[in-house]
Each structure stands twice: as C-alpha cells, then as structure tokens.
Amino acid sequence: MKTKMKTHSNASVSLQKKSFWTIFKQQKILYLMSLPFVAWVFVFNYLPLGGWVMAFQNYRPGLGFFEQEWVGLQQFVQLFQDERFYLVLRNTIVMSIMGLTVGFTVPIMFAVLLNEIRLKAFKRTVQTVSYLPHFVSWVIVAGIVTKMLSVDGGVINDLLVAAGLLDQPVQFMTKGEYFWVIVTLADLWKEMGWNSIIFLAAIAGIDPQLYEAAKVDGASRFRQIWHITLTGIRPTILVVLILSIGNLITIGFEKQFLLGNPTVVNFSEVLELYALNYGIGLGRFSYGTAIGIFNSLVSIMLLFIANGIFKRYANQSVM
C-alpha cells in the first residue's frame, strides 16, 4: 500500500512538472514579455530591502558596512517614544480611511452609471474627460485647488458668497479641520476616472443575455444593476478592496506636501512625509528607515488580515 501511495505521489509531482514545462513551451513568448516587468519589480521593490539594515545601525554616510555602529532596536524605541509620531499616524490613518471610503466606492458607482449610458459618443466623451486628470501632475492639481479655494478670486468662495451661504470668503487652506476633506476630494477628482477602468472592464465581461432575461422577467433598471451588474463584478470589487486595505497607510506624501502649509502641518503631515522631514531632511537616515519599515510591516499585516477575512467569509482572496 505504501509503495502504491509513493508511486502515485511521484507520478502526480512529475505530472505537475511536465504540465508546467508544457505550458511554458506553449506560452514562452508571454513569459519572455513578462521578464522586463519582473526585473523592474525586483530592482525597485526587492533590492532596496537590503537598506533596511540601516534601521539597526547609527548609520553614517561614508563609512563601510562593518564600520557602522550597531544600535539594535534603538531607532524603533525612539520612534515609539516620539509624540509627533502618533500625531502623524493619526493623520495617516484618518486620510487613508477617508480616501479608501470615497476613492473606492465612487469609482464603482461611476462605472455603473457609465455602463447605463446608451449614447456611445457621450459615454466615450465622459470616459475620456474623467481619465485626463490622472495624467496631470500633483503640482498642477495643487495649484488648481489652491486657486479655486483662494479668498482672492477663488471660484468656491465666490459661489458660496453669491449663494448667501457665507458672509465673507473663508481661507480654506489655512483651516486644519478642512484639510483632510480637501485632500480627499482633490484625490477623488484626479483618480476617479482612472480607478473606474478596472470596474468598467469587469462589467464588460458580464453576459448581455443576463440583462435580456431580466428584462423579460420585468426587472427594473435598478434591479438589473443590483442583481446582475454589481453581482457580476463582485469578485473584482473584493480583490481591489483587499489590495486597497493592504495599501491603507502607504498613501504617499505628494498631495499632503503640495497642499499643506505651516498653518495646517498638524493635519497634513503623514508617515512618509514624516520620514522625509525627520529622516532624510535632518540626516537621520536610520530613523527614516525605521519609519519606512514600520509602514511596510503594517501594510503587510493589513493585507494578510484583509485577505484572511475575505477568504473565510466571502471565499475571495488574492493569495
């Protein structure tokens, strides 16, 4: 019996290897085409991990690897003892949750609404216009937002004053309590159209006969959207949500850096901007590396937690 089981196991392994090499030979062009992207990911995402060793040193530029002073977890102790770190972490978490809530749900609704448009010319025009802001630099977007919210000729203040909602213009860019909303809405305007592409592609893969059958059964447009469109793109929604949760606190720093100013710094500074200012800016490279490691580890934990939850309760995962 044991001999038969071993023989069966060896046969299955050899079959798997054979099938892999068979698929590789059949799709060798696709594998070759993917090599540049694999190399890009390896060079820019995996090779830099060797620099994490600086977080356990008191790194000094110009000294050799073995000449550096090893300090163990001292950088992390300083990080968790810094009150500024917790303020920055609060800003990062709040802006991340706001961005995830708005930046994830609105593109889905936008894609569904675009799918309901029957005039193809109008639909293509709306799609093209919605994609364009993605290709605009954050420098330009920050300039547009700042000008629109300005008290001197800013269109937002002019409209609010003209409508009687404000007695006088408000300096929105100097109000810390408005900063999170401004960043969230600016990011939504810039990325909404681009983020909706994947949902539009998923909707395009739904069988049109399902809609025809629903019409015959007397289903309204809303019922068709709820039971066919949203149900059909459910796997895509869950995968994108899992990946978005994994990147919850890695929100970058460009928009916060460009839209922020000294009067709202307690609301605009995020982890990556904190690493830039207190790490690279002050020459504390080891401290900045510790911040980056904390950011990466939290992202990995969130990804595994989200993936495990959705895998257990929704039977959907990314790994």
Side-chain angles (χ1 to χ4, degrees):
M1 180 65 70
K2 291 183 178 179
T3 305
K4 290 182 179 180
M5 291 178 62
K6 289 182 179 179
T7 304
H8 179 72
S9 177
N10 294 333
S12 62
V13 171
S14 62
L15 182 62
Q16 290 177 359
K17 291 181 178 179
K18 184 178 179 180
S19 62
F20 169 78
W21 288 111
T22 302
I23 295 174
F24 179 80
K25 290 179 181 179
Q26 293 174 348
Q27 303 180 1
K28 57 184 178 181
I29 302 300
L30 294 177
Y31 279 97
L32 290 174
M33 290 175 62
S34 66
L35 285 179
F37 303 100
V38 173
W40 184 88
V41 172
F42 178 76
V43 171
F44 291 100
N45 290 81
Y46 288 94
L47 280 183
L49 293 179
W52 278 15
V53 72
M54 287 194 300
F56 307 97
Q57 301 172 334
N58 188 15
Y59 180 77
R60 293 291 180 269
L63 297 180
F65 179 79
F66 295 102
E67 297 176 350
Q68 300 292 341
E69 178 187 359
W70 293 86
V71 296
L73 299 176
Q74 179 180 332
Q75 304 296 342
F76 294 93
V77 173
Q78 294 180 6
L79 176 65
F80 294 123
Q81 289 179 345
D82 187 3
E83 295 181 359
R84 186 73 186 176
F85 166 73
Y86 295 99
L87 178 65
V88 170
L89 184 61
R90 180 207 65 177
N91 298 338
T92 304
I93 293 175
V94 172
M95 277 189 274
S96 297
I97 293 175
M98 292 177 64
L100 177 63
T101 304
V102 177
F104 178 74
T105 56
V106 174
I108 296 175
M109 294 187 291
F110 181 69
V112 171
L113 291 176
L114 275 181
N115 184 63
E116 295 300 311
I117 297 176
R118 297 293 177 255
L119 297 176
K120 292 186 177 180
F122 179 72
K123 180 178 179 180
R124 291 172 181 172
T125 302
V126 173
Q127 283 182 277
T128 303
V129 172
S130 66
Y131 297 161
L132 291 178
H134 171 77
F135 301 98
V136 179
S137 168
W138 263 112
V139 177
I140 299 175
V141 173
I144 295 173
V145 172
T146 303
K147 182 60 181 176
M148 290 181 65
L149 296 175
S150 173
V151 296
D152 184 16
V155 63
I156 302 298
N157 273 306
D158 290 346
L159 289 174
L160 293 176
V161 172
L165 299 176
L166 293 178
D167 296 329
Q168 56 184 3
V170 175
Q171 295 182 346
F172 291 102
M173 300 305 295
T174 61
K175 303 289 184 179
E177 59 271 21
Y178 297 147
F179 184 81
W180 295 339
V181 177
I182 293 172
V183 169
T184 302
L185 294 179
D187 189 50
L188 176 65
W189 173 77
K190 188 176 186 298
E191 302 295 342
M192 179 187 68
W194 184 260
N195 291 338
S196 67
I197 292 177
I198 188 171
F199 301 112
L200 286 170
I203 292 173
I206 299 175
D207 189 353
Q209 294 182 0
L210 295 175
Y211 293 100
E212 297 297 332
K215 290 179 182 178
V216 173
D217 291 338
S220 62
R221 294 284 289 272
F222 177 79
R223 287 292 182 182
Q224 294 176 38
I225 292 173
W226 184 260
H227 294 289
I228 299 177
T229 305
L230 293 178
T231 302
I233 65 174
R234 179 175 175 269
T236 303
I237 292 175
L238 293 178
V239 169
V240 174
L241 179 59
I242 292 170
L243 296 176
S244 299
I245 293 175
N247 294 320
L248 191 62
I249 66 170
T250 55
I251 59 175
F253 67 91
E254 294 90 349
K255 46 186 176 287
Q256 290 83 6
F257 178 76
L258 294 169
L259 291 172
N261 57 72
T263 60
V264 296
V265 66
N266 289 336
F267 294 87
S268 65
E269 195 170 32
V270 293
L271 280 173
E272 295 187 14
L273 192 56
Y274 177 66
L276 178 65
N277 293 334
Y278 288 82
I280 298 176
L282 299 178
R284 302 172 63 189
F285 301 106
S286 297
Y287 190 71
T289 305
I291 300 172
I293 291 177
F294 171 82
N295 206 347
S296 299
L297 292 180
V298 171
S299 298
I300 294 172
M301 289 174 57
L302 289 174
L303 177 61
F304 277 103
I305 292 172
N307 185 76
I309 292 174
F310 283 101
K311 186 175 182 178
R312 180 173 180 178
Y313 296 102
N315 197 26
Q316 189 71 41
S317 65
V318 296
M319 56 181 133

